[in-house]
Amino acid sequence: AQSVTQPDIHITVSEGASLELRCNYSYGATPYLFWYVQSPGQGLQLLLKYFSGDTLVQGIKGFEAEFKRSQSSFNLRKPSVHWSDAAEYFCAVEGGGNKLTFGTGTQLKVEL
Amino acid sequence: DAEITQSPRHKITETGRQVTLACHQTWNHNNMFWYRQDLGHGLRLIHYSYGVQDTNKGEVSDGYSVSRSNTEDLPLTLESAASSQTSVYFCASSDPGQPNTEAFFGQGTRLTVV
C-alpha cells in the first residue's frame, strides 16, 4: 500500500525567507503526487500536481515542487514566503481511481 | 460556478445517535469521496463512489455508510455516533473522464460527538 511521510510537523520561517517542505512517498508504480494547502477553517486547495514529464512543477501562489524518483521525494518550495502563506500543507499520492493517501501535514508559521 | 458544498458546517451530537452529513456537487463528477481529518493522521479515506449505485469502503469505514442515488450527492451516515468519530469530515469529487485531474474538496464539516 502507498504511504506519504511529511517529517516536519511544524515549521517557522521569517517573512521573505525561503521555504522547503519535505515529502517522501512510497508507491509501487509511477506516482501521481499533489500538494494541498488548508487555511484555518477552510477546505483543501490544490497548490500543484505531478503526473509525468518535467520533474519541476510550478503551482499557484509562487510555489513549486520537484519530483525526485531516486529519493522518492516531492518537496515543496517557495523562494520568498509571505505572511499569508501561514497554513497547513498536505502532500498526497494517488493510489488509483483518484483515491488519495495523505501525509500528516506540516503546519507553517510565518514570523513578521 | 460549479462547486461542492457540505452541510452542516458544524454539528454536535450525542453518543449513539444517527447522524448524516450531506455532500452536494454541481460538477456532474462521477467520483466522490469522504475523508476524515484528525491531528497526527492527516486525511484518511472513509468511503468512495465511482457512480450512481456504486459505493466502496476506504481505509477507515467502520461505523460509517454512504449511498449514491444520484450523481450530485453522497451523504455520509454515522449509524451510531461514537466519541472516536469526533473529527472534521471532507467530501471531494473528481472527474474520471479528465486526464491528469485532481480532486476538489468541500469546506468540511466539524462533527463533535458528546
Side-chain angles (χ1 to χ4, degrees):
Chain A
Q2 64 271 13
S3 65
V4 176
T5 302
Q6 294 181 247
D8 305 305
I9 299 174
H10 299 278
I11 282 187
T12 300
V13 299
S14 299
E15 189 175 37
S18 63
L19 172 70
E20 182 170 31
L21 302 183
R22 296 183 290 165
C23 172
N24 292 97
Y25 69 89
S26 173
Y27 188 64
T30 299
Y32 294 168
L33 296 160
F34 305 82
W35 275 99
Y36 283 88
V37 60
Q38 183 183 30
S39 298
Q42 300 298 310
L44 278 75
Q45 180 183 23
L46 181 73
L47 284 176
L48 46 80
K49 56 189 177 183
Y50 171 79
F51 289 93
S52 63
D54 193 346
T55 57
L56 186 61
V57 180
Q58 301 297 319
I60 62 171
K61 303 184 180 185
F63 285 92
E64 66 178 26
E66 186 171 12
F67 170 61
K68 293 185 177 180
R69 185 186 299 276
S70 61
Q71 298 177 21
S72 298
S73 69
F74 189 56
N75 294 348
L76 182 71
R77 301 193 295 246
K78 187 170 185 178
S80 177
V81 170
H82 188 263
W83 64 265
S84 61
D85 292 324
E88 188 155 24
Y89 292 79
F90 291 95
C91 182
V93 63
E94 184 185 310
N98 288 163
K99 301 190 304 288
L100 296 173
T101 297
F102 286 86
T104 51
T106 297
Q107 187 73 46
L108 174 65
K109 180 180 176 182
V110 180
E111 289 183 334
L112 301 176
Chain B
D1 282 346
E3 59 182 1
I4 182 166
T5 55
Q6 295 183 233
S7 61
R9 293 293 310 277
H10 302 271
K11 184 167 182 67
I12 301 174
T13 191
E14 295 178 342
T15 300
R17 288 192 178 268
Q18 183 181 80
V19 177
T20 296
L21 309 183
C23 175
H24 179 81
Q25 51 97 2
T26 58
W27 284 300
N28 206 37
H29 286 167
N30 279 332
N31 296 351
M32 294 187 73
F33 309 86
W34 275 104
Y35 293 87
R36 61 176 287 174
Q37 182 182 20
D38 305 288
L39 269 176
H41 291 280
L43 282 81
R44 292 177 292 173
L45 184 63
I46 305 171
H47 281 285
Y48 58 101
S49 169
Y50 290 145
V52 176
Q53 302 302 327
D54 176 74
T55 62
N56 306 279
K57 294 180 179 181
E59 178 188 357
V60 290
S61 60
D62 287 348
Y64 303 93
S65 64
V66 293
S67 60
R68 189 90 180 269
S69 58
N70 59 53
T71 301
E72 295 80 16
D73 299 289
L74 187 70
L76 177 72
T77 297
L78 288 67
E79 303 293 344
S80 177
S83 57
S84 61
Q85 295 176 308
T86 293
S87 186
V88 180
Y89 292 85
F90 287 97
C91 180
S93 71
S94 66
D95 180 359
Q98 279 278 20
N100 298 345
T101 190
E102 71 270 18
F104 296 88
F105 284 80
Q107 296 288 79
T109 294
R110 182 175 296 276
L111 177 68
T112 302
V113 183
V114 298

